[in-house]
Amino acid sequence: MGFGGISIWQLLIILVIVLLLFGTKRLKNLGGDLGGAIKGFRKAVKDEDKNKDKDEEKDPERLQHDEDEKPEQGSVSKEKDKQSQDK
């Protein structure tokens, strides 16, 4: 038993049929194109991560400033309590 109930002999027969239909040159080009696409995708993901890290290192004060401006979750409920007591 091979992959999902397909034996090794059935896989070899499928491989021979694909080679006869498409030829080795076309399959080689297809493999090269697929490999190039995967390589390009990996490079784009890696570049995106580098750019994200650079932005964070470049302006840490901005990140701290954003954190300081966020209201605390408890402060909203405290303000509501003060308003209800004043009434």
Side-chain angles (χ1 to χ4, degrees), residues 54-78:
K54 283 183 182 179
D55 289 343
E56 289 176 0
E57 291 174 3
K58 189 172 155 182
D59 200 4
E61 292 177 7
R62 180 188 59 121
L63 295 174
Q64 182 63 34
H65 183 265
D66 291 345
E67 289 293 323
D68 292 340
E69 287 184 357
K70 287 183 181 177
E72 293 181 21
Q73 298 251 344
S75 66
V76 174
S77 61
K78 289 178 185 177

Side-chain angles (χ1 to χ4, degrees), residues 37-55:
I38 292 172
K39 186 177 179 180
F41 177 76
R42 286 183 181 170
K43 183 181 177 193
V45 169
K46 194 179 292 185
D47 288 345
E48 180 69 26
D49 289 341
K50 286 181 182 178
N51 289 338
K52 192 175 188 180
D53 291 341
K54 283 183 182 179
D55 289 343

